[in-house]
Amino acid sequence: MAEQLMLLPNADPARMRLLRLPRDLGSTEAYRLVTGLIAALESARAPGAGRVPVEDVIDALEERGFEVLEVILGPTLD
């Protein structure tokens, strides 16, 4: 199976992350795992604490076998 990648978009392009999925994880499973993980991190924060830091999300994903890849933004296509 070819390696699969997932882009975690963000309004701030500097905060976007590109992930390599673990080989034993399908795309649907990966999507569910990532959204569930982010939801769990958000619910564990104190009310009014703001958004979960990107670094916390990345650390949790790396613990589950995801690998963060460098993103180089190119010119727009439109």
Side-chain angles (χ1 to χ4, degrees), residues 5 11 20 29 31-32 35 37 41 45 61 65 69 74 78:
L5 305 176
R20 178 178 291 130
E29 294 170 298
Y31 184 87
R32 289 179 180 156
T35 54
L37 178 73
L41 290 170
R45 292 181 60 82
L61 289 169
L69 303 173
D78 53 348

Side-chain angles (χ1 to χ4, degrees), residues 9-39:
N10 194 296
D12 177 4
R15 294 174 48 100
M16 286 191 322
R17 296 296 184 267
L18 181 63
L19 305 173
R20 178 178 291 130
L21 278 56
R23 290 203 178 272
D24 62 340
L25 201 60
S27 58
T28 302
E29 294 170 298
Y31 184 87
R32 289 179 180 156
L33 188 130
V34 171
T35 54
L37 178 73
I38 293 170

